[in-house]
């Protein structure tokens, strides 16, 4: 999910936002194959306990939202009904939250929150469909309000969250950060999944969403940045996101074996020797343009894709610089020409701004080249179940969708469809990402 303005959102909005800022590509370093050093094993490893299927109503809302947009990035649609969750403990209370490398705040719905629909009319709290009654600040011994501040996030589809900011003790699988800024959401316009109660944001501090009473942003260190700063853990976190089973994808509820979020090293799943380390693109805060200066600002986990490889790709310009690695987005959002050529090989049909495929289709091969190394995507990941139609028949989308034209300032997304195939290890000190191809599973 990507933040809107300074918020969290599913997908597209971030693209629009970045374009608005006129982010342009500046190469951080030449494209050449580099040997990545071995990564340390992670001392902390939280299971990804669940991927949940979003409600059908949301699916339809998302699809209609995407129609006719020139930037087809499915903002909230980008969730495309699946999210990876992990168990987090805040102030002694445990919740399942969305694991999101595309935003930076960690927030929970507060007990007693008010729910609104997407146009702001009050609704019963059940409409927001959080997975619990919410965080009870009164039961926490470590809770402290962050005085005279506001927490506010906005999503591209109209979802929004507002409330207060606080300092809390946050822990995941034994990795504990004290005095962590969190968002405590008292008003939510949210279409939840009945399972998650909030979100864990893993991206850079610049994207955080706390403001003071004058409306000035008070940037802070997100959870993992504080964990590193407090010397709890080395500067790596790593994600291994399993593709769900067919049943897990089609039924709501908890699917318990969906991989790992590891801190301090690489997530331990079987991997091949194919790996590469690429720089994260830094930007100039003044111009919002990419820069190779020594002290750039980092926003998202943005990398350069050297090439996409698929049947007939040789005639297509497939480089896609400024591509965000986003666990909070299900689909890949690639340049228009890439999506068009790949989906032609897939016999996909284009409807309301998205490519749809036969649920039984055998996806053509698709690979992502990063700094000279080729990472394949399993064909199973390219057929994404998206709900049922009026007749109750399964509807599937292509895993690789149109993310808009390749122009100055455009940004694209590699989502879970890609991330199922690699272990992705983020190094927030060296500002680089190591991709390691997983063994077949
Ligand atoms: C992407 O960046 C590389 C250098 O890192 C450059 O050679 C290439 O032209 C860029 N591609 C696009 C589509 O901007
Ligand atoms: C999260 O973990 C805690 C501690 O292990 C456990 O008590 C709790 O039931 C888990 N919560 C969820 C929602 O899975
Ligand atoms: C929100 O509720 C109001 C009042 O019931 C209704 O008019 C409006 O259409 C609803 N909006 C959405 C997006 O459901
Ligand atoms: C918060 O704002 C109130 C009213 O403006 C002020 O009296 C108080 O000192 C402020 N608190 C802090 C900690 O800044
Ligand atoms: C490749 O392109 C050629 C010429 O445009 C076309 O005839 C052929 O069907 C394409 N192959 C695939 C797999 O899309
Ligand atoms: C697409 O359609 C062509 C012609 O019917 C067929 O040969 C090919 O196998 C189909 N490809 C996929 C991925 O379904």
């Amino acid at each position: 999910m990507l933040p809107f303005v300074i918020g969290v959102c599913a997908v597209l909005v971030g693209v629009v936002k970045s374009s608005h800022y006129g982010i342009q590509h500046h190469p951080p370093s030449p494209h050449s194959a580099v040997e990545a050093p071995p990564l340390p094993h992670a001392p902390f490893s939280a299971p990804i306990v669940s991927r949940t299927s979003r409600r059908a109503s949301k699916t339809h809302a998302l699809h209609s939202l995407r129609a006719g947009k020139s930037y087809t990035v499915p903002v909230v649609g980008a969730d495309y009904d699946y999210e990876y969750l992990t168990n987090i403990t805040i102030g002694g209370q445990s919740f399942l939250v969305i694991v999101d490398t595309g935003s930076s705040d960690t927030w929970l719905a507060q007990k007693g929150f008010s729910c609104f629909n997407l146009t702001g009319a009050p609704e019963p709290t059940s409409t927001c469909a959080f997975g619990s009654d919410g965080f009870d600040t009164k039961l926490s011994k470590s809770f402290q309000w962050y005085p005279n501040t506001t927490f506010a996030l906005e999503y591209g589809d109209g979802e929004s969250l507002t409330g207060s900011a606080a300092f809390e003790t946050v822990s995941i699988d034994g990795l504990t950060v004290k005095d962590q800024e969190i968002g405590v959401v008292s008003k939510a316009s949210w279409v939840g999944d009945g399972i998650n109660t909030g979100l864990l944001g893993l991206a850079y501090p610049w994207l955080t969403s706390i403001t003071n009473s004058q409306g000035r942003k008070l940037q802070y260190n997100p959870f993992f940045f504080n964990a590193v700063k407090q010397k709890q853990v080395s500067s790596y976190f790593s994600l291994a996101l399993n593709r769900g089973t067919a049943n897990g994808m089609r039924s709501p509820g908890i699917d318990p074996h969906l991989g790992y979020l590891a801190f301090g090293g690489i997530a331990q799943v079987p991997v091949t020797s194919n790996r590469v380390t690429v720089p994260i693109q830094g930007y100039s805060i003044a111009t919002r343009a990419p820069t190779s200066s020594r002290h750039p600002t980092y926003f998202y986990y943005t990398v350069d894709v050297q090439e996409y490889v698929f049947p007939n790709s040789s005639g297509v310009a497939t480089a896609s610089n400024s591509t965000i690695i986003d666990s909070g987005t299900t689909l890949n959002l690639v340049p228009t020409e890439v999506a068009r050529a790949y989906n032609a090989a897939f016999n996909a049909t284009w409807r309301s701004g998205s490519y749809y495929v036969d649920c039984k289709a055998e996806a053509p091969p698709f690979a992502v080249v990063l700094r000279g190394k080729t990472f394949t995507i399993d064909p199973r990941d390219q057929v994404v179940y998206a709900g049922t139609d009026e007749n109750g028949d399964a509807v599937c989308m292509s895993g690789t969708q149109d993310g808009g034209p390749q122009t100055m300032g455009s940004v694209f997304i590699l989502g879970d469809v890609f991330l199922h195939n690699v272990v992705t290890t983020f190094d927030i000190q060296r500002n680089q990402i190591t991709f390691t191809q997983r063994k077949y599973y």
Side-chain angles (χ1 to χ4, degrees):
M1 309 229 279
L2 305 185
F4 181 67
V5 186
I6 316 176
V8 179
C9 88
V11 177
L12 281 222
V13 176
V15 171
V16 173
K17 172 189 170 209
S18 304
S19 307
H20 172 70
Y21 289 152
I23 289 178
Q24 296 159 18
H25 180 76
H26 181 100
S29 62
H31 286 141
S32 58
V34 284
E35 283 310 314
L39 294 163
H41 287 202
F44 304 96
S45 184
I48 301 285
V49 291
S50 155
R51 161 160 103 164
T52 63
S53 162
R54 288 200 150 196
R55 297 185 312 190
S57 60
K58 173 111 187 190
T59 307
H60 297 313
L62 293 176
H63 288 185
S64 57
L65 259 174
R66 293 197 59 191
K69 290 263 165 68
S70 59
Y71 281 93
T72 47
V73 192
V75 175
V76 172
D79 305 337
Y80 273 76
D81 313 316
Y82 308 110
E83 276 143 1
Y84 284 92
L85 308 180
T86 197
N87 187 341
I88 191 170
T89 301
I90 299 190
Q93 298 161 52
S94 294
F95 304 93
L96 290 171
V97 295
I98 298 168
V99 174
D100 190 16
T101 62
S103 70
S104 302
D105 297 290
T106 293
W107 60 265
L108 291 173
Q110 183 182 8
K111 190 171 185 196
F113 73 93
S114 311
C115 179
F116 300 87
N117 76 7
L118 297 188
T119 43
E123 294 279 350
T125 55
S126 59
T127 304
C128 283
F130 286 111
S132 72
D133 290 345
F135 177 50
D136 190 342
T137 60
K138 293 192 197 67
L139 294 181
S140 168
K141 294 192 179 68
S142 44
F143 184 85
Q144 279 188 291
W145 291 112
Y146 189 159
N148 297 345
T149 62
T150 305
F151 175 75
L153 285 180
E154 210 183 305
Y155 295 78
D157 67 342
E159 280 183 310
S160 65
L161 304 161
T162 57
S164 308
F167 297 98
E168 255 297 10
T169 301
V170 176
S171 78
I172 303 173
D173 192 58
L175 176 60
T176 298
V177 172
K178 295 206 168 81
D179 300 320
Q180 173 61 50
E181 290 87 342
I182 60 165
V184 182
V185 169
S186 53
K187 292 184 181 170
S189 295
W190 180 255
V191 187
D193 54 24
I195 299 178
N196 82 71
T197 300
L199 184 144
L200 168 68
L202 291 162
Y204 283 94
W206 193 89
L207 294 170
T208 57
S209 314
I210 295 174
T211 52
N212 69 11
S213 43
Q214 281 82 50
R216 218 182 124 240
K217 190 163 102 156
L218 302 174
Q219 189 175 297
Y220 67 89
N221 282 326
F223 169 78
F224 184 66
F225 287 75
N226 264 336
V228 173
K229 192 173 160 222
Q230 294 177 11
K231 302 206 184 330
Q232 307 273 339
V233 68
S234 70
S235 61
Y236 300 100
F237 74 90
S238 183
L239 271 178
L241 302 179
N242 296 349
R243 77 183 60 92
T245 59
N247 275 346
M249 284 168 83
R250 278 152 213 249
S251 56
I254 294 186
D255 198 341
H257 305 295
L258 288 169
Y260 299 95
L261 166 61
F263 298 108
I266 187 170
Q268 291 301 301
V269 297
V271 292
T272 70
S273 59
N274 186 35
R275 87 176 166 251
V276 74
T277 296
V278 301
I280 296 164
Q281 176 70 61
Y283 293 85
S284 153
I285 197 74
T287 64
R288 308 280 197 238
T291 174
S292 51
S293 84
R294 277 172 60 82
H295 298 291
T297 300
Y298 293 95
F299 306 133
Y300 301 104
Y301 293 109
T302 305
V303 303
D304 285 356
V305 173
Q306 186 179 339
E307 195 184 349
Y308 292 104
V309 182
F310 51 90
N312 272 0
S313 62
S314 57
V316 182
T318 66
S320 102
N321 294 336
S322 300
T323 301
I324 299 171
I325 305 302
D326 185 12
S327 66
T329 296
T330 300
L331 304 176
N332 296 330
L333 296 161
V334 302
T336 300
E337 293 312 313
V338 176
R340 185 180 293 153
Y342 176 67
N343 285 297
F346 208 163
N347 294 340
T349 50
W350 172 257
R351 229 170 35 239
S352 315
S354 299
Y355 289 102
Y356 288 84
V357 296
D358 185 331
C359 289
K360 296 191 192 70
E362 173 74 19
F366 189 87
V368 180
V369 182
L370 296 157
R371 257 192 148 181
K373 297 277 175 130
T374 300
F375 297 88
T376 56
I377 294 182
D378 191 295
R380 290 172 291 167
D381 291 313
Q382 295 282 11
V383 180
V384 179
Y385 178 74
T388 50
D389 63 16
E390 312 73 49
N391 307 323
D393 295 326
V395 173
C396 291
M397 303 186 76
S398 166
T400 296
Q401 297 282 342
D402 185 347
Q406 171 76 270
T407 54
M408 287 288 250
S410 50
V411 298
F412 303 98
I413 292 175
L414 286 172
D416 301 332
V417 165
F418 173 65
L419 296 175
H420 292 158
N421 299 278
V422 290
V423 179
T424 314
T425 307
F426 303 78
D427 182 341
I428 64 157
Q429 234 149 42
R430 294 170 195 86
N431 301 303
Q432 59 192 26
I433 301 176
T434 300
F435 296 94
T436 310
Q437 181 94 48
R438 291 178 66 169
K439 286 202 169 134
Y440 182 87
Y441 69 98

